[in-house]
């Protein structure tokens, strides 16, 4: 306690130092006087008296110093001193300070931006009540760690588990339509996204506006403690089988479409033709456990009412329903819950051996989406963080060389200090304080820079996505965590770039510095060695970034050039949004299709229209397939016992429309298609897989299984007991542009019996100008039909590997360009510094007869050495990195010569320029002047 | 040398407190002289270490200071024992007495038999 009091007093002792110093001086003076008087009384003469007293008293200055140390906290004292001095030095060189701070602010800002995005998306606790007790439950199978649950499984866990006070289900969202709302106007064209090659299918003008609806169980909102803005939230009673249809509107949709009309609560909204009552409105930007804001929230049984699925499908153990999350009871840990759910999973496996084979569950924290990330997402995160870390490294190296240059200019001052007795560590500490001050300033600037960059990025992304995909509500607001991260990064950067120069500078050779022999020949060698390393490192980092970006961009460009095996440039891809849910009867639907196809086919410029259940790039559906009477030894993929193949129901003119040649056998006849005869056209790969070396025509395949297959709501898996192979089609790349489809089947589509959502229209030229015309035809047929359309070739940009390559390449090139700019500034600075330092040496050389060209070559060659080293290191490092990226390059050779050599030459040329420009100054040296130059 | 200085610092503080208790409020010079006298001039107080010690005692709250007039009408800073200081003095005096007693037993021969 006493010690604490003493400490507080010492803190206070930092203030009003001069007054206390005076007091102490006065006290010791009076002490001295008293002693002298006593001495006089004992008979000494005044001189002796004073002398004796002084000796007895001891060193006055030392005592004052000791008291001063005792009085304040020496550490803080020194720190304040350093800070004041540092601030003065920075103010004295505003140009240097500005450049250093801006350079670092860039590096720190970009780092903070990435971290902020990561935090907002993944780390931040979900905006619900008590997120720490939330848990997310996933189904795991070999090969999948974050799988979905079926509805009956969810009910089973909900009813039988005792670890959760509530277990709710978040089901897949669906787009619905409403005849109550006006049709769409033209979608705003995204700006930047379009420029870099992303063109997502947009709604055709005039089609009905789809509304995004998320489906949740009745206990979802009460579990999360949600409070509505108006009206009420969804409750468990809305989950009951015969409950009246209700829907909860999101605040965003309410603002956008209903202009914040408070009368909306209690009003009726027709969705897919069914009357729903709007019971409430959520707060603005409320996402609960999702990542985007929908237009509506509805209870899961509403899916049946809307016609999205049937009751049997909902209660099917094999149908994907959604993702459960639950609230752990107080005192129950994730571990306990996991153990209990393992037991329940075991029970389900025993009860339903077929459906539950290989399935188990995993329980993870639902506080944020951190545990819900799959390995692919982690790879993207890691790549992004590495790229920005490289930029920061470049920035630090840059500022370090700036500091070195400045330290060299202060050699005399430092030498004097050392001569006066300053400890080396004291000097280093002081120089380091300056560095950290620069870093902190940069951090203060970097934080708002990061926020601004993120806003820009989000606005661009948001405008690129169709509005009905949901609003991405990212809360980018700086908070303590981000601030602390920025501070940490700044301090680390400050130490990183400040330490080496500080150590270097304090090693000053006192003698030579005082004698100002700065331009002596060998003196600067050690310093330029360090600077050389810094330059080399910057160049290497730039190389890695730029080569990676070149590879990614070239790779993603290849995606457009790859021959997919079918015609993609003169085909329009049209996707209808489930008009079945408007409760049209089957016959009405089929008539709709026929009318539509007829109208579109009769448009000038359209050659043919085909129909399919799945078109190229439209997603894949798998079905188990076995040859009838074949050896059971044909192995399956993914460890399943049954081999699977992709499939699609197609009309006979599909192959012609897409120019897919049938290389053996024949196409379906119209009567086979209409009658849904048990015939099938297989792809070459399928033929090779099941009957290698034999003629597949006439062989038979069992497609699907009697018990039905795992599939998505609204789609039935096919079942053909024995389908005859009548033709073999050329392989195409409809799933993944990087390789041909593994096995594919084409089944006959009956236009009189089967409705599908995909139409493909073959046009004479570019289909883009025809899209609005097609939209008009759609509206003439049925105004309630939402139809998306795009040229088939642009669907390539939906491929996730393409997206990753493109975006990755763009980011890497932006970061690389910035890094290159910084590095070149560094090179320029170093060379001009070198020239200035060695003016005397150059003068001597020239006086001894060297030509200016020779001098120039000498300086350039010296300056270019570290750059060359950096380029070489960069090439080696890039070779390693490109190997990791090979999967995303669409077949581009990871050691692509064009990228490597092109970037090396470009970098080398720019760096050479940055070296040559300041080196020219060397040739302008007048030997006489140089020799006199001090 | 460092260790000895510390020990002396601790005992110096004790001597200062005792001096103030015996003589009442006193200035720095007076304290120093008194300590020298009491020790029979066996101790030479380095006045330089006195002032830091006085500051420490003041920070810990055992003594308080005040400017006043000395006998010869000279301005001097007078130190006074506080109540906490008084208690601390008693406590430390007790502890020292105990320590010396234990040590005495160890160091004086012949007393073991008994």
């Amino acid at each position: 306690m006493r010690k604490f009091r003493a400490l507080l007093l010492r803190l206070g002792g930092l203030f009003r130092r001069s007054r206390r110093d005076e007091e102490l001086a006065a006290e010791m003076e009076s002490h001295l006087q008293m002693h002298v008087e006593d001495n006089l009384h004992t008979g000494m003469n005044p001189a002796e008296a004073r002398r004796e007293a002084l000796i007895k008293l001891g060193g006055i200055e030392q005592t004052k110093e000791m008291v001063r140390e005792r009085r304040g906290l020496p550490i803080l004292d020194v720190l304040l001193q350093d800070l004041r001095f540092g601030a003065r030095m920075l103010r004295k060189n505003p140009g240097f300070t500005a450049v250093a701070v801006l350079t670092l602010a860039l590096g720190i800002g970009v780092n903070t931006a990435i971290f902020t995005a990561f935090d907002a998306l993944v780390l931040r606790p979900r905006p619900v009540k008590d997120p720490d007790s939330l848990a997310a439950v996933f189904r795991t199978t070999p090969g999948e760690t974050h799988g979905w649950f079926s509805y009956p499984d969810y009910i089973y866990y909900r009813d039988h588990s005792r670890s959760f006070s509530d277990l709710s289900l978040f089901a897949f969202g669906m787009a619905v339509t409403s005849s109550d709302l006006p049709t769409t106007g033209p979608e705003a064209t995204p700006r930047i996204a379009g420029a870099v090659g992303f063109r997502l299918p947009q709604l055709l003008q005039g089609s009905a506006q789809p509304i995004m609806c998320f489906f949740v169980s009745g206990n979802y909102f009460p579990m999360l403690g949600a409070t509505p803005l108006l009206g009420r939230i969804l409750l468990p009673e809305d989950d009951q089988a015969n409950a009246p249809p209700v829907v909860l509107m999101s605040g965003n949709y309410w603002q956008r479409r209903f202009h914040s009309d408070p009368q909306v609560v209690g009003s009726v909204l027709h969705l897919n033709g069914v009357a729903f009552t709007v019971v409430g409105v959520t707060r603005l930007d409320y996402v609960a456990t999702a990542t985007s804001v929908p237009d509506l929230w509805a209870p899961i049984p509403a899916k049946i009412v809307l016609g999205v699925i049937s009751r049997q499908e909902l209660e099917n153990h094999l149908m994907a329903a959604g993702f459960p999350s639950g609230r752990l009871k107080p005192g129950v840990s994730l571990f306990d819950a996991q153990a209990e759910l393992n037991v329940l999973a075991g029970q389900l496996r025993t009860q339903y051996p077929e459906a539950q084979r290989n399935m188990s569950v995993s329980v993870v924290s639902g506080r944020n989406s951190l545990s819900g990330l799959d390995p692919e997402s982690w790879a993207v995160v890691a790549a992004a963080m590495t790229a920005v870390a490289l930029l920061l490294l470049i920035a630090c190296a840059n500022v370090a060389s700036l500091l070195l240059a400045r330290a060299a200019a202060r050699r005399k001052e430092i030498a004097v200090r050392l001569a006066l007795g300053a400890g080396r560590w004291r000097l280093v500490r002081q120089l380091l304080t300056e560095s950290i001050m620069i870093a902190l300033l940069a951090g203060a600037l970097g934080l708002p820079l990061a926020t601004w960059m993120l806003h820009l990025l989000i606005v661009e992304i948001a405008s690129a996505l169709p509005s009905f995909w949901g609003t991405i509500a990212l809360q980018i607001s700086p908070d303590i965590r981000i601030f602390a991260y920025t501070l940490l990064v700044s301090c680390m950067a400050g130490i990183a770039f400040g330490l080496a120069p500080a150590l270097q500078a304090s090693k000053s050779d006192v003698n030579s510095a005082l004698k100002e022999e700065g331009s002596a020949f060998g003196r600067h060698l050690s310093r330029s060695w360090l600077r050389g390393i810094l330059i080399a490192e910057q160049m290497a980092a730039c190389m890695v970034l730029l080569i990676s970006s070149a590879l990614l961009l070239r790779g993603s460009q290849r995606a457009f050039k790859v021959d997919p095996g079918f015609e993609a440039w003169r085909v329009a891809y049209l996707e209808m949004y489930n008009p079945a849910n408007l409760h049209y009867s089957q016959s009405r639907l089929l008539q709709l299709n026929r009318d539509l196809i007829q109208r579109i086919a009769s448009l000038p410029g359209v050659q043919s229209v085909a129909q399919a259940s799945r078109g190229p790039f439209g997603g894949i559906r798998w079905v188990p397939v076995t040859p009838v009477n074949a050896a059971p030894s044909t192995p399956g993929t993914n460890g399943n016992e049954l081999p699977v193949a992709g499939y699609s129901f197609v009309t006979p003119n599909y192959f012609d429309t897409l120019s897919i040649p049938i290389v053996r056998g024949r196409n379906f006849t119209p009567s086979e298609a209409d009658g849904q005869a048990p015939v099938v056209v297989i792809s070459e790969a399928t033929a090779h897989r099941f009957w290698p070396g034999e003629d597949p025509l006439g062989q038979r395949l069992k497609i699907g299984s009697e018990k039905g297959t795992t599939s998505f709501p609204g789609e039935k898996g096919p079942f053909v007991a024995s389908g005859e192979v009548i033709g073999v089609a050329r392989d195409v790349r409809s799933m993944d542009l990087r390789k041909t489809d593994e096995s594919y089947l084409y089944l006959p589509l009956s236009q009189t019996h089967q409705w599908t959502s995909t139409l493909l229209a073959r046009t004479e030229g570019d289909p883009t100008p025809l899209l609005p015309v097609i939209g008009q035809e759609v509206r003439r047929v049925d105004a309630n039909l939402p139809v998306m359309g795009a040229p088939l070739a642009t669907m390539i940009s939906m491929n996730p590997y393409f997206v990753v390559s493109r975006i990755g390449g763009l980011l890497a090139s932006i970061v690389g360009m910035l890094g290159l700019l910084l590095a070149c500034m560094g090179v320029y600075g170093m060379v001009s510094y070198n020239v200035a330092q060695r003016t005397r040496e150059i003068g001597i050389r020239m006086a001894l007869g060297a030509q200016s060209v020779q001098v120039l070559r000498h300086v350039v060659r010296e300056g270019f050495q570290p750059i060359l080293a950096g380029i070489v290191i960069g090439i080696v490092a890039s070779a390693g990195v490109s190997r990791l990226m090979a999967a995303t390059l669409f077949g581009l050779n990871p050691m692509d010569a064009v990228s490597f050599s092109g970037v090396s030459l470009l970098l080398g040329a720019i760096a050479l320029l940055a070296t040559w420009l300041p080196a020219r100054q060397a040739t302008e040296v007048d030997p006489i002047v140089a020799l006199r130059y001090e | 040398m460092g260790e000895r200085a510390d020990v002396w610092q601790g005992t110096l503080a004790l001597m200062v407190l005792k001096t103030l208790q015996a003589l009442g409020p006193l200035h720095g010079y007076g304290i120093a002289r008194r300590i020298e006298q009491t020790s029979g001039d066996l101790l030479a107080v380095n006045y330089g270490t006195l002032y830091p010690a006085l500051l420490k005692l003041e920070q810990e709250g055992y003594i308080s200071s005040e400017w006043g007039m000395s006998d010869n009408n000279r301005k001097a800073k007078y130190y006074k024992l506080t109540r906490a200081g008084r208690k601390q003095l008693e406590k430390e005096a007790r502890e020292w007495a105990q320590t010396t007693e234990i040590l005495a037993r160890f160091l004086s021969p012949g007393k073991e038999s008994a």
Side-chain angles (χ1 to χ4, degrees):
Chain A
M1 192 53 211
R2 293 281 148 197
K3 286 281 171 3
F4 189 61
R5 183 176 191 273
L7 185 68
L8 280 180
L9 281 168
R10 285 178 86 169
L11 274 172
L14 288 171
F15 307 103
R16 301 204 296 179
R17 289 177 51 188
S18 43
R19 210 193 74 167
R20 291 178 205 249
D21 275 345
E22 279 165 24
E23 268 194 27
L24 180 63
E27 192 180 350
M28 293 189 75
E29 180 60 32
S30 86
H31 181 127
L32 183 65
Q33 290 305 323
M34 285 192 263
H35 198 137
V36 167
E37 273 177 21
D38 276 356
N39 277 352
L40 287 176
H41 285 158
T42 60
M44 293 193 210
N45 66 50
E48 261 189 57
R50 192 168 171 85
R51 190 167 151 272
E52 197 266 346
L54 279 171
I55 292 176
K56 222 30 205 310
L57 196 51
I60 297 192
E61 282 309 315
Q62 268 120 312
T63 309
K64 282 192 187 164
E65 189 59 40
M66 278 203 281
V67 172
R68 241 180 254 139
E69 271 190 26
R70 183 98 235 166
R71 190 168 52 210
L73 282 171
I75 302 175
L76 273 187
D77 248 357
V78 165
L79 186 66
L80 269 174
Q81 211 179 19
D82 282 344
L83 283 175
R84 257 180 272 161
F85 188 75
R88 218 175 15 205
M89 287 305 295
L90 290 180
R91 256 203 309 271
K92 245 175 71 175
N93 303 330
F96 162 81
T97 313
V99 170
V101 168
L102 281 173
T103 309
L104 272 177
L106 193 65
I108 295 179
V110 169
N111 261 275
T112 306
I114 294 286
F115 179 74
T116 309
F118 183 65
D119 177 70
L121 280 172
V122 175
L123 289 181
R124 205 170 278 236
R126 300 194 203 266
V128 298
K129 181 178 82 171
D130 193 15
D132 289 310
S133 61
L134 275 186
V137 186
F138 293 100
R139 196 179 65 128
T140 56
T141 52
E144 180 162 40
T145 47
H146 294 84
W148 41 257
F149 271 66
S150 69
Y151 196 66
D153 283 354
Y154 154 69
I155 298 286
Y156 187 84
Y157 284 103
R158 183 192 70 186
D159 294 339
H160 288 84
S161 101
R162 273 185 283 271
S163 312
F164 297 104
S165 57
D166 267 311
L167 190 68
S168 64
L169 187 71
F170 180 90
F172 300 112
M174 267 292 113
V176 296
T177 56
S178 173
S179 41
D180 297 339
L181 296 170
T183 55
T184 56
E187 287 268 346
T189 34
R191 301 166 294 184
I192 293 187
V196 298
F198 285 115
R199 274 172 66 195
L200 297 167
Q202 301 290 349
L203 279 179
L204 297 177
Q205 265 175 267
S207 48
Q209 174 83 306
I211 308 170
M212 177 54 81
C213 184
F214 286 171
F215 294 90
V216 294
S217 59
N219 56 0
Y220 182 77
F221 287 110
M223 180 183 89
L224 298 176
T227 47
L229 189 64
L230 293 176
R232 69 165 175 90
I233 54 176
L234 296 178
L235 297 168
E237 52 250 28
D238 300 318
D239 239 358
Q240 303 306 325
N242 299 319
V246 294
V247 80
L248 178 65
M249 192 176 287
S250 80
N252 300 50
Y253 191 61
W254 179 60
Q255 257 188 8
R256 205 171 67 227
R257 280 260 168 242
F258 290 85
H259 311 291
S260 310
D261 176 13
Q263 305 285 1
V264 81
V265 177
S267 68
V268 167
L269 189 63
H270 288 89
L271 298 172
N272 288 0
V274 179
F276 276 77
T277 317
V278 179
V279 293
V281 177
T282 70
R283 293 194 314 264
L284 206 60
D285 289 343
Y286 185 70
V287 291
T289 59
T291 45
S292 58
V293 182
D295 299 324
L296 300 172
W297 301 82
I300 293 180
K303 278 189 172 184
I304 302 174
V305 169
L306 285 167
V308 174
I309 54 177
S310 67
R311 175 153 292 281
Q312 291 91 319
E313 284 169 330
L314 188 67
E315 289 166 5
N316 185 340
H317 276 274
L318 296 169
M319 287 275 273
F323 296 92
S325 51
R327 189 174 291 287
L328 294 167
K329 285 192 183 144
V332 176
S333 72
L334 280 173
F335 192 70
D336 302 333
Q338 175 77 62
E340 195 203 2
L341 289 194
N342 285 344
V343 171
L344 291 178
Q347 289 173 2
L348 276 178
R349 275 197 296 271
T350 335
Q351 286 181 34
Y352 304 96
E354 279 292 319
Q356 302 286 343
R357 193 172 32 204
N358 292 337
M359 275 202 264
S360 51
V361 295
S362 89
V363 181
V364 296
S365 162
R367 182 168 176 270
N368 48 34
S369 23
L370 187 65
S371 333
L373 282 181
D374 49 9
E376 284 82 19
S377 311
W378 276 118
V380 171
V381 170
M385 292 215 147
T386 311
V388 296
L390 276 177
L391 182 65
L392 185 60
L393 210 62
I394 294 176
C396 283
N398 220 285
V399 180
S401 21
L402 279 175
L403 277 178
L404 266 184
R406 223 173 52 114
R410 288 166 65 183
R411 278 176 75 221
K412 193 167 171 205
E413 170 214 331
I414 292 176
V416 168
R417 297 239 226 130
L418 283 173
L420 280 177
R424 185 167 174 221
W425 278 112
R426 179 83 175 74
L427 269 178
V428 170
R429 226 175 30 223
Q430 196 242 302
L431 289 172
L432 215 52
T433 312
E434 279 179 47
S435 311
I436 295 189
M437 279 177 73
I438 295 179
L440 287 176
L441 276 174
L445 192 60
L447 196 55
L449 188 69
T451 318
W452 173 76
M453 278 196 280
L454 271 178
H455 265 286
L456 193 68
L457 205 66
I458 290 180
V459 165
E460 280 310 315
I461 292 183
S463 69
L465 298 174
S467 58
F468 74 88
W469 279 22
T471 326
I472 302 185
L474 267 188
Q475 313 285 22
I476 305 285
S477 48
D479 73 350
I480 290 293
R481 229 180 345 214
I482 296 175
F483 182 71
Y485 178 83
T486 313
L487 201 63
L488 184 68
V489 169
S490 310
C491 285
M492 275 173 29
I495 295 181
F497 69 74
L499 195 59
L503 286 174
Q504 266 280 358
S506 53
K507 229 176 10 179
S508 208
D509 184 344
V510 177
N511 257 328
S512 71
L514 286 175
K515 282 199 236 156
E516 298 211 22
E517 282 174 7
S519 40
F521 283 23
R523 289 292 170 212
H524 60 268
L525 271 183
S526 58
R527 205 152 288 139
S528 44
W529 171 80
L530 182 61
R531 292 195 88 189
I533 293 214
L534 290 172
I535 297 281
E537 176 254 309
Q538 286 181 61
M539 282 295 154
C542 279
M543 282 290 285
V544 173
L545 283 172
L546 288 173
I547 289 185
S548 306
S549 85
L551 286 172
L552 286 170
L553 287 174
R554 272 172 65 82
S556 56
Q557 197 58 28
R558 269 175 80 104
F560 285 117
K561 301 223 176 54
V562 168
D563 176 17
F566 53 87
E567 174 62 54
W569 299 94
R570 286 178 291 180
V571 173
Y573 179 94
L574 301 163
E575 179 88 38
M576 281 178 275
Y577 266 84
N578 298 334
N581 310 313
L582 288 165
H583 270 268
Y584 292 159
S585 66
Q586 185 78 338
S587 53
R588 180 165 176 198
L589 278 176
L590 295 167
Q591 185 60 40
L592 219 68
N593 253 7
R594 283 194 288 270
D595 287 343
L596 204 55
I597 292 178
Q598 192 204 358
R599 278 182 177 270
I600 297 178
S602 61
L603 286 175
V606 176
Q607 288 175 353
S608 66
V609 180
Q611 193 178 343
S613 63
R614 288 276 135 197
F617 305 132
I620 316 141
R621 293 291 176 257
W622 300 97
V623 69
V625 152
T626 33
V628 173
N629 306 326
S633 62
T634 330
T637 51
N638 303 333
N640 286 347
E641 290 166 17
L642 291 175
V644 289
Y647 72 91
S648 178
F649 288 92
V650 299
T651 50
N653 61 353
Y654 178 84
F655 301 98
D656 270 343
T657 306
L658 288 180
S659 296
I660 301 177
I662 296 194
V663 292
R664 275 195 75 90
R666 60 175 183 82
N667 198 347
F668 313 119
T669 62
S671 56
E672 278 174 337
D674 241 8
Q676 290 185 298
V679 292
V680 61
V681 172
I682 61 178
S683 69
E684 286 172 314
T686 321
H688 187 76
R689 184 172 172 195
F690 290 122
W691 304 284
E694 298 171 26
D695 184 4
L697 296 181
Q699 301 276 12
R700 292 188 165 266
L701 280 175
K702 176 178 171 208
I703 302 170
S705 78
E706 295 88 350
K707 300 187 214 69
T709 45
T710 340
S711 63
F712 278 80
E715 295 175 29
K716 238 191 292 275
F719 176 60
V720 179
S722 169
E724 183 193 347
V725 176
I726 56 162
V728 180
R730 164 112 341 127
D731 277 329
V732 298
R733 299 171 189 229
S734 73
M735 297 187 244
D736 186 345
L737 274 178
R738 300 168 305 151
K739 56 182 174 58
T740 54
D741 297 347
E742 285 172 8
S743 312
Y744 211 82
L745 313 169
Y746 301 94
L747 296 162
L749 175 66
S750 162
Q751 284 183 305
T752 46
H753 291 107
Q754 209 178 348
W755 179 85
T756 60
S757 59
T758 306
L759 292 178
L760 295 151
R762 175 65 176 263
T763 57
E764 272 163 18
D766 181 14
T768 320
L770 279 171
L771 288 174
V773 181
I774 295 180
Q776 280 175 352
E777 292 301 321
V778 170
R779 198 174 41 216
R780 281 203 202 105
V781 167
D782 189 330
N784 279 334
L785 227 57
V787 177
M788 298 260 282
L792 191 57
T794 60
M795 303 275 287
I796 294 173
S797 58
M798 302 251 283
N799 178 312
Y801 286 105
F802 176 83
V803 171
V804 166
S805 291
R806 259 298 143 99
I807 294 187
L810 282 170
L811 282 178
S813 50
I814 291 177
V815 173
M817 285 295 167
L818 286 174
L820 183 61
L821 183 68
L822 289 179
C824 284
M825 278 163 50
V827 168
Y828 190 99
M830 176 179 103
V831 174
S832 44
Y833 165 73
N834 262 345
V835 169
Q837 277 293 90
R838 299 164 64 183
T839 308
R840 208 162 154 210
E841 173 197 342
I842 294 172
I844 292 179
R845 282 182 191 252
M846 289 182 77
L848 286 177
Q851 303 288 352
S852 52
V853 167
Q854 282 177 312
V855 169
L856 181 64
R857 239 200 315 230
H858 178 77
V859 172
V860 168
R861 198 166 9 162
E862 268 207 26
F864 203 70
Q865 271 171 5
I867 296 174
L868 202 59
I871 291 181
V872 170
I873 296 175
I875 290 180
V876 172
S878 301
V881 168
S882 70
R883 208 158 292 276
L884 292 171
M885 284 193 309
T888 57
L889 293 178
F890 287 96
L892 187 69
N893 182 1
M895 300 290 296
D896 175 44
V898 171
S899 305
F900 274 80
S901 53
V903 171
S904 309
L905 286 173
L906 179 71
L907 211 71
I910 295 180
L912 191 62
L913 192 67
T915 314
W916 180 75
L917 280 173
R920 275 189 324 170
Q921 292 173 15
T923 62
E924 284 147 30
V925 169
D926 183 350
I928 310 287
V929 174
L931 285 171
R932 288 208 206 108
Y933 177 73
E934 286 293 297
Chain B
M1 194 54 212
E3 291 173 22
R4 262 189 86 192
D6 283 342
V7 169
W8 283 123
Q9 235 179 34
T11 53
L12 184 61
L14 183 56
M15 289 186 240
V16 165
L17 289 177
K18 185 68 187 176
T19 308
L20 287 178
Q21 187 210 40
L23 297 182
L26 195 54
H27 47 65
Y29 175 65
I31 296 175
R33 288 245 72 159
R34 171 69 183 181
I35 291 176
E36 283 177 343
Q37 285 171 3
T38 315
S39 76
D41 276 335
L42 286 174
L43 280 180
V45 176
N46 179 349
Y47 295 175
T49 60
L50 176 67
Y51 283 97
L54 285 174
L55 182 61
K56 184 165 182 226
L57 284 171
E58 192 172 355
Q59 282 177 340
E60 285 173 348
Y62 297 141
I63 60 179
S64 61
S65 67
E66 203 174 42
W67 280 93
M69 284 299 207
S70 77
D71 325 329
N72 309 355
N73 274 340
R74 195 175 291 287
K75 260 192 93 176
K77 202 175 189 190
Y78 277 82
Y79 294 92
K80 191 174 79 170
L81 201 60
T82 63
R83 198 152 46 145
R86 223 175 289 274
K87 279 205 269 214
Q88 178 71 1
L89 174 61
E90 284 167 17
K91 176 167 163 263
E92 280 205 36
R94 256 202 317 272
E95 285 174 5
W96 264 107
Q98 211 176 41
T99 311
T100 31
E101 202 200 310
I102 295 174
L103 273 177
R105 281 201 213 154
F106 273 96
L107 295 176
S108 56
K111 286 263 180 85
E112 292 159 48
S113 64

